[in-house]
């Protein structure tokens, strides 16, 4: 239920609080040593990568778009390639993993599965980059991510005079600078295959039309400096990292429960700064920037967790359903998350530490 706060420290039968603290310290030390021995993978900001490293990542994404899908075409007619397998999986679990207690843990594993697929299926030798929003929040087109160069994730779409501003809560979001098809950069010829979905998620109780239908169209973008500069700036990122508990962290991340002084958290700020393809709650992974956006979210969550290991590593809040309705189940470390054909079910406990489970990564 919205507003419920639950923190998990450690479950150990028959040990005192002092002993539990000691076990946490020992466990952290062992994990860190194991991770060092395995050569921790370091995820870097896109602008930190050399031009050749950016192109390697782009080539791996394009490779995923050429690989055959694994999901059934009969059951998922919109899935045309391996890239789309990830889009359809995101659609399938949208009602469980957004504005809920599963948002952070589920997406942590989702982007790790993407990173692993790039390596295993497309010979990618790097790590998943991330998009550090404040660096370019005043001028997205100047970002190496969106400058339309051969080493970018393409840029703005063509100007579409029919794009409209969006009204919500106390704020009206002005339209961006594009709104049409992307015609430059590595993804200028890209087609997206599923969606679009209505924004009115509060009225849904099951997956609405178009579901997994095949709806090919051009990749759309509309860079919006108003959104990025107001909702993904350094001040707000600092506020996120300065929150005292997981419930407050979630408020700044996603503004749930809703606050009257804004309509977007830093998560929504990233999505609404790139136009309609990225604004679609269900199919937003169709924009190649999705994984980098969620890399930044995971980075900030990792930093926040590490500030107070004993109280934050397993801190959770919310249910397993969108908007945390009364019939949702409270998320605990033992809650099981589904990933369809991408992976077997995983417990929340398995994904709470980037140095644990099969993970061994950090961020610059």
């Amino acid at each position: 239920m919205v507003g419920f706060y639950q923190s998990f420290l450690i479950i150990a039968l028959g040990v005192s609080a002092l002993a539990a603290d000691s076990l946490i310290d020992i466990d952290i030390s062992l994990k860190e040593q194991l991770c060092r021995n395995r050569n921790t993978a370091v995820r870097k900001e896109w602008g930190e990568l050399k031009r050749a490293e950016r192109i390697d990542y782009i080539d791996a994404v394009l490779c995923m778009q050429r690989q055959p899908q694994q999901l059934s075409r009969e059951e998922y007619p919109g899935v045309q390639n391996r890239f789309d397998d990830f889009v359809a999986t995101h659609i399938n679990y949208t009602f469980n993993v957004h504005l809920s207690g599963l948002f952070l843990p589920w997406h942590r594993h989702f982007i790790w599965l993407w990173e692993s697929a790039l390596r295993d299926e497309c010979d990618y030798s790097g790590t998943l980059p991330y998009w550090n929003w404040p660096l370019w929040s005043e001028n997205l087109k100047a970002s190496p991510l969106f400058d339309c160069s051969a080493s970018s994730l393409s840029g703005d779409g063509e100007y579409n005079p029919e794009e409209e501003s969006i009204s919500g809560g106390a704020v009206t979001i002005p339209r961006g600078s594009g709104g049409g098809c992307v015609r430059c950069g590595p993804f200028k010829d890209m087609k997206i295959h599923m969606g679009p979905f209505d924004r009115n998620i509060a009225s849904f109780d099951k997956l609405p039309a178009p579901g997994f239908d095949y709806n090919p169209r051009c990749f759309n973008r509309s860079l919006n400096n108003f959104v990025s500069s107001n909702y993904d700036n350094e001040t707000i990122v600092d506020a996120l990292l300065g929150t005292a508990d997981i419930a407050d962290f979630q408020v700044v991340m996603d503004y749930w429960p809703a606050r009257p002084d804004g309509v977007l958290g830093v998560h929504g700020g990233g999505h609404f700064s790139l136009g309609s393809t990225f604004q679609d709650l269900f199919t937003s992974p169709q924009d190649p920037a999705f994984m980098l956006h969620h890399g930044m979210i995971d980075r900030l969550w990792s930093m926040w967790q590490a500030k107070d290991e004993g109280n934050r590593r397993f801190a959770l809040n919310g249910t397993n359903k969108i908007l945390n309705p009364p019939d949702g189940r409270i998320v605990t470390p033992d809650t099981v998350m589904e990933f369809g054909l991408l992976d077997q079910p995983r417990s929340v406990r398995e994904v709470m530490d980037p140095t644990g489970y099969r993970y061994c990564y950090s961020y610059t």
Side-chain angles (χ1 to χ4, degrees), residues 252-325:
V252 182
M253 176 63 70
D254 260 324
Y255 277 112
W256 67 269
R259 284 183 171 182
D261 55 350
V263 294
L264 297 172
V266 294
H267 171 222
H271 281 278
F272 276 75
S273 65
L274 299 189
S276 62
T277 296
F278 208 40
Q279 290 167 12
D280 192 317
L281 182 67
F282 295 84
T283 64
S284 52
Q286 292 185 124
D287 189 318
F290 177 93
M291 300 299 177
L292 282 72
H293 176 48
H294 277 271
M296 177 64 169
I297 290 170
D298 186 63
R299 173 179 179 256
L300 295 174
W301 184 35
S302 300
M303 293 167 66
W304 183 86
Q305 288 179 301
K307 281 187 173 184
D308 186 355
E309 186 76 27
N311 290 300
R312 297 182 180 181
R313 178 57 60 198
F314 293 95
L316 296 162
N317 173 54
T319 76
N320 66 343
K321 290 187 177 181
I322 195 167
L323 298 174
N324 299 292

Side-chain angles (χ1 to χ4, degrees), residues 36-341:
R36 281 195 295 270
N37 292 341
R38 289 165 54 197
N39 297 318
T40 302
V42 180
R43 294 177 176 176
K44 298 179 180 180
E45 204 277 327
W46 186 258
E48 293 180 302
L49 300 178
K50 297 176 181 178
R51 184 176 185 275
E53 292 174 321
R54 296 177 205 165
I55 291 175
D56 284 347
Y57 180 80
I58 292 164
D59 287 346
V61 177
L62 292 171
C63 166
M64 291 289 280
Q65 295 178 345
R66 294 190 299 268
Q67 297 299 310
Q69 79 281 359
Q70 295 182 8
L71 290 171
S72 162
R73 186 70 60 80
E74 182 177 351
E75 188 175 357
Y76 300 91
V79 175
Q80 302 296 301
N81 51 48
R82 186 70 170 124
F83 181 96
D84 286 345
D85 281 341
F86 283 82
V87 178
T89 300
H90 191 266
I91 294 171
N92 219 8
Y93 298 107
T94 285
F95 284 129
N96 303 105
V97 302
H98 295 91
L99 300 167
S100 75
L102 291 179
F103 171 72
L104 293 167
W106 190 89
H107 283 86
R108 170 171 283 174
H109 194 62
F110 184 66
I111 63 175
W112 182 80
L113 290 172
W114 169 257
E115 182 182 51
S116 299
L118 293 180
R119 292 172 177 165
D120 297 342
E121 300 170 37
C122 287
D123 297 322
Y124 179 58
S125 60
T127 57
L128 177 69
Y130 64 92
W131 166 22
N132 193 343
W133 320 303
L135 293 180
W136 309 100
S137 63
E138 299 289 338
N139 187 357
L140 289 168
K141 287 184 179 180
S143 164
L145 262 173
F146 306 118
D147 64 7
C148 266
S149 66
S151 59
S152 72
L153 299 186
S154 289
D156 210 357
E158 295 180 317
Y159 183 77
N160 176 10
E162 297 182 2
E163 183 182 18
E164 299 179 347
S165 60
I166 301 171
S167 295
V171 175
T172 295
I173 299 174
R175 57 156 294 145
S177 55
C181 301
V182 173
R183 301 296 190 192
C184 61
F187 299 97
K188 65 180 180 180
D189 299 320
M190 177 178 161
K191 298 291 185 182
I192 59 177
H193 302 134
M194 288 173 276
F197 287 83
D198 193 296
R199 287 197 186 97
N200 189 20
I201 59 171
S203 65
F204 300 155
D205 57 3
K206 61 181 179 179
L207 185 65
F212 302 101
D213 291 350
Y214 180 48
N215 181 28
R217 58 201 188 280
C218 72
F219 169 38
N220 172 294
R221 274 227 188 105
S222 188
L223 302 185
N224 195 316
N225 292 330
F226 172 87
V227 174
S228 58
S229 62
N230 279 281
Y231 297 103
D232 283 320
N233 57 50
E234 193 65 50
T235 299
I236 295 177
V237 168
D238 288 345
L240 180 75
L241 293 174
T243 54
D245 58 41
I246 189 62
D248 288 342
F249 185 89
Q250 289 166 318
V251 168
V252 182
M253 176 63 70
D254 260 324
Y255 277 112
W256 67 269
R259 284 183 171 182
D261 55 350
V263 294
L264 297 172
V266 294
H267 171 222
H271 281 278
F272 276 75
S273 65
L274 299 189
S276 62
T277 296
F278 208 40
Q279 290 167 12
D280 192 317
L281 182 67
F282 295 84
T283 64
S284 52
Q286 292 185 124
D287 189 318
F290 177 93
M291 300 299 177
L292 282 72
H293 176 48
H294 277 271
M296 177 64 169
I297 290 170
D298 186 63
R299 173 179 179 256
L300 295 174
W301 184 35
S302 300
M303 293 167 66
W304 183 86
Q305 288 179 301
K307 281 187 173 184
D308 186 355
E309 186 76 27
N311 290 300
R312 297 182 180 181
R313 178 57 60 198
F314 293 95
L316 296 162
N317 173 54
T319 76
N320 66 343
K321 290 187 177 181
I322 195 167
L323 298 174
N324 299 292
D327 63 337
R329 295 180 180 177
I330 297 300
V331 171
T332 74
D334 294 321
T335 298
V336 175
M337 302 181 293
E338 303 283 344
F339 297 91
L341 288 182

